[in-house]
Amino acid sequence: MSDIHQGQAHVQDAQTERLREVWKNPVGWRRFSEVNNSVIGHWYTATAFAFLIFAGGLALLMRAQLAVPDNDLVTAQLYNQLFTMHGTAMMFLFAVPVFEGVAILILPAMLGARDLPFPRLSAFGYWSFLIGGVFVCGSIFFNAAPTGGWFMYPPLTTDTRQSGIGADIWLLGLSFIEVSSIAAAVELIVGVLKFRAPGMNINLTPLYAWYVLVVAGMILFAFPPLIVGDYLMELQRAFDWPFFDPKRGGDPLLWQHLFWIFGHPEVYIIFLPSIALLAMIVPTFAQRPIVGYSWIVLSALGTGFLSFGLWVHHMFTTGLPSLSLGFFSAASEAVAIPTGAQIFVFIATLALGKVVSSTPLLFAAGALAIFVFGGLTGVMLALAPFDFQAHDTYFVVAHLHYTLFGGMIFPLLAGVYYYYPFATGQKLSDHAGRVAFWLMFVGFNATFLPMHFTGLRGMPRRVFTYPADVGWDWFNFISSIGAFVFAVGFSVVLIDVLRPKKQRPDADGNPWNAGTLEWLAQRDESFGMRTIPIIRHRYPIWYQKNFVQDVREGRFYLPDAEDGRRESLVTSVLDAEPEQCARIPGPTFLTLFAAIFLGATFIFATYHWWISTLASAFLTLATVLSWLWTGTGEIPEKQFRDIGLQRRVPLYRSGPASTGWWAMFITMTGDLTAFLSLMFCYFFYWTIHTDFPPGADGRNGTYWLAGSACLVILAWASTLLARRLNTAGYPAGVRSALYAGVALGILGVLAMLAGPWFSKMDPTANVYPATVWAIVIWVAVHTSVGVIMQAYCIARAYAGRLTARYDMEIWNVTLYWHFACFSAVVALATLVAFPNLT
Ligand code: HEM
Ligand SMILES: [Cu+2]
């Protein structure tokens, strides 16, 4: 395509037509094979809202039950299921997924990309979320829902007679959903790092993208400790390994640590993305750039970082040393500083701009008011002596809903009103929006303000009813009325969102006169932006000359799809220089199948149908392998692609220059976090026991474990050697090195299992053997996955798809082995050295 013709209308039409053809969504039942971000983003967001409505319905039932004293609308048993499912669904099936859905929907347009780097991964994440969510929620209709509260404290939840199948559904169903959250997080991080439009250096990156980076990073570090907790608790429930049983050396407090190392950051994971929406909305309605861009980036990073040091404030009443009470109390107060900074930035922007009053802004203002109030009660609760009084009362329920509504529900609704035209091309009714806002604002405060007082008057949370003569009646009654008023307000929004609208989409697609890039995406076209622009300003629509016209008339990068492939630009991490033209995979059913099989693996495990579990795990593996084989590491038909404006970029990159390598790196940081959490458990037991390991236990397996560590190191070295030989161009040597790696890896796995096996360690006897087994199994599975990867590379080499020039797989597999080998060595060295040191 030559530049002389670019301006001409018929050339443009032909280009648009080709783009349309390439990005066309499949129709009929094939629609479910679509992986494109605009489609998946819609599904994801809609599904998350469906879970919100479900969980909200449960809340209304609870409020109906609590409206009057001594009520018997629901039984105590059902009430336990209600609050557990309400909290669980809100936190895991709504709050986190809605962030992921919205980000998948709007992020590519904001970055100037045609899609995210791994659309199939997004689709897989979505299907996993849907299947897992329906499974977990469905349990309540069979009277089998979990009852242990959303934080599932043992011993209530480890006693299988008391907790029933519900606890297993919670543990396994949510582990499955956590996997999908991590998948989405990896996808979003690589998107922000590598898919930004040329010129969008880190200083021009939209604030929303910064927040996505922070939040997705937090997911990566926060979810793994919970996954480890789930792993240990399910081992205890299914096989009686005593991790949380004090009689055999376990400790229920360990669960509380693991849960809240996840749980506190979770709160910030929930509200930062919604604050991020405000960071896009406020400048638009102030009609000026945000004040203090770098302050807000720093505060987002600061909040994200600090939030990992606060978890113990959920455990003030568990009898911790007063030094840690002081430390965690101070740290909890400190987080108010970056949080406050973000709010001041918004207020300053509005104060300095020409404020346009509008429904999104009204929701934003309401959000700030509520959030500040919730922050204040948070400051109160962070003081340990106050918390001793208020812990487990309705005061806490009031506090947490103030932060959640101010930090997430209201900003999110502001986002719904703001981005609805972006997603559908139509506006929601302003009038209905205002009515809905006031109903919800008043309803919300009527529900939760009185709860502070019911709490201070001593009403505990999680009780299904209360007596009439203790002074709680009126407050409860008002709370219940408020909840229904809120629900009416929410229904107004819902009806407006769903009702068919006749009005025509407005022509320019930027109804709020916003300045940021996403408003250029053409919402009736699934390719998004007509061309990928060069960015020179944070608000290009406002400040770059002729910007809109140049984009629409195809005068930037990738105006055409002449190769008949879905494509987007990969740019460098810091200054967003074009590095590669990425070919993006299109529709496939493989991701849906992979999610179904993985879901089946978890669901069968819930019912302890081990053979079906294994069969499904095998099918998952086969599906994932064929997905990788057909969808990744494709060898292009030519080396370079002409992307317009006289630029040519390569079509294939490997190693640290490729998106696949980054995805592997980021996934492995999450995996390493999980591993370190598991080792944390070992050292936790070690600190609380004088005899850990007890007696002579563990000394016997030493030689096996030490031998295994050597074998794993050799397997890693073979992989590395294979990569070196590949670069040097010795295909036969590559295959031999990989064969050696497979053999060494398998021997390593056998030797590590032999350690505890031959020393007859009984994991049900005491927490020490249980911990050793849990660690060894973890490492064995990781090493085995490494072996499968080596075998995959061998197959690729025979198929001629792994060559000296096209070597993406071997780079990624070597990277995996760096991490796998590191964790194996740390684990085995600890198990070997510690028993002998003590
Ligand atoms: C109309 C909206 C809502 C109402 C009326 C409501 C009501 C309630 C009530 C009454 C409880 C306490 C139950 C008890 O301790 O006996 C509760 C707990 C809880 N709510 Fe909400 N809620 C609403 C929205 C939300 C939202 C949007 C979220 C999160 C995004 C949320 C998260 C939680 C959590 C985590 C708990 C603790 C559950 C537990 O104790 O295990 N709620 N809610
Ligand atoms: Cu907290």
Side-chain angles (χ1 to χ4, degrees), residues 148 151-164 167 233 236-237 244-247 251-253 255-256:
F151 37 70
M152 290 288 286
Y153 283 175
L156 189 62
T157 46
T158 41
D159 179 336
T160 40
R161 271 157 312 162
Q162 270 199 56
S163 53
M233 199 193 278
Q236 169 152 0
R237 290 183 52 90
F244 308 111
D245 174 8
K247 285 204 289 289
D251 187 349
L253 271 193
W255 169 266
Q256 296 201 18

Side-chain angles (χ1 to χ4, degrees), residues 389-608:
Q389 300 303 314
H391 187 73
D392 266 344
T393 69
Y394 261 85
F395 190 87
V396 173
V397 179
H399 157 71
L400 76 93
H401 286 89
Y402 265 85
T403 52
L404 288 169
F405 276 78
M408 125 134 234
I409 298 285
F410 278 88
L412 186 68
L413 288 172
V416 167
Y417 273 88
Y418 183 67
Y419 278 117
Y420 194 79
F422 168 86
T424 66
Q426 290 162 321
K427 255 175 142 175
L428 291 171
S429 152
D430 248 338
H431 180 69
R434 276 161 209 274
V435 173
F437 170 78
W438 285 111
L439 281 171
M440 283 192 277
F441 189 78
V442 171
F444 165 77
N445 283 294
T447 314
F448 293 103
L449 198 64
M451 282 189 195
H452 293 101
F453 302 106
T454 22
L456 290 177
R457 289 185 172 202
M459 176 157 167
R461 66 195 284 197
R462 299 178 174 173
V463 288
F464 88 110
T465 191
Y466 51 92
D469 51 4
V470 283
W472 299 340
D473 324 11
W474 277 106
F475 289 128
N476 271 303
F477 186 69
I478 298 170
S479 287
S480 296
I481 301 290
F484 284 91
V485 173
F486 181 89
V488 172
F490 187 81
S491 319
V492 173
V493 180
L494 194 67
I495 292 169
D496 199 12
V497 166
L498 297 179
R499 102 194 130 92
K501 291 173 214 49
K502 289 218 194 63
Q503 117 231 39
R504 278 166 50 76
D506 57 319
D508 79 336
N510 185 3
W512 314 109
N513 190 22
T516 41
L517 188 55
E518 70 274 18
W519 293 97
L520 273 190
Q522 282 152 285
R523 66 202 153 255
D524 36 359
E525 305 281 14
S526 51
F527 55 77
M529 219 146 303
R530 175 68 179 79
T531 46
I532 297 183
I534 300 173
I535 299 297
R536 302 260 171 258
H537 201 283
R538 282 179 200 147
Y539 299 88
I541 299 186
W542 285 345
Y543 298 108
Q544 276 179 240
K545 258 182 88 193
N546 277 341
F547 187 68
V548 177
Q549 211 177 346
D550 285 350
V551 171
R552 292 271 156 90
E553 289 173 10
R555 275 190 283 275
F556 285 113
Y557 293 123
L558 288 181
D560 200 346
E562 68 265 36
D563 296 340
R565 297 295 306 268
R566 295 184 173 190
E567 291 163 328
S568 200
L569 279 188
V570 183
T571 53
S572 60
V573 173
L574 294 181
D575 30 52
E577 274 296 305
E579 282 185 331
Q580 184 196 347
C581 172
R583 296 257 165 103
I584 297 176
T588 174
F589 276 109
L590 283 172
T591 51
L592 173 57
F593 292 149
I596 291 176
F597 293 139
L598 187 61
T601 312
F602 279 96
I603 292 170
F604 287 136
T606 311
Y607 296 100
H608 299 183

Side-chain angles (χ1 to χ4, degrees), residues 88-109:
T88 303
M90 283 293 186
M91 302 303 260
F92 292 98
L93 302 179
F94 168 63
V96 177
V98 83
F99 150 64
E100 286 162 344
V102 171
I104 289 174
L105 188 61
I106 66 181
L107 189 68

Side-chain angles (χ1 to χ4, degrees), residues 650-692:
L651 278 166
Y652 187 100
R653 310 273 322 239
S654 64
S658 72
T659 49
W661 188 91
W662 280 88
M664 176 63 87
F665 184 81
I666 293 163
T667 311
M668 292 318 288
T669 8
D671 188 66
L672 186 66
T673 311
F675 169 72
L676 294 177
S677 313
L678 190 58
M679 295 313 289
F680 167 82
C681 300
Y682 183 95
F683 290 105
F684 179 87
Y685 291 127
W686 180 69
T687 50
I688 62 167
H689 291 296
T690 47
D691 57 341
F692 190 81

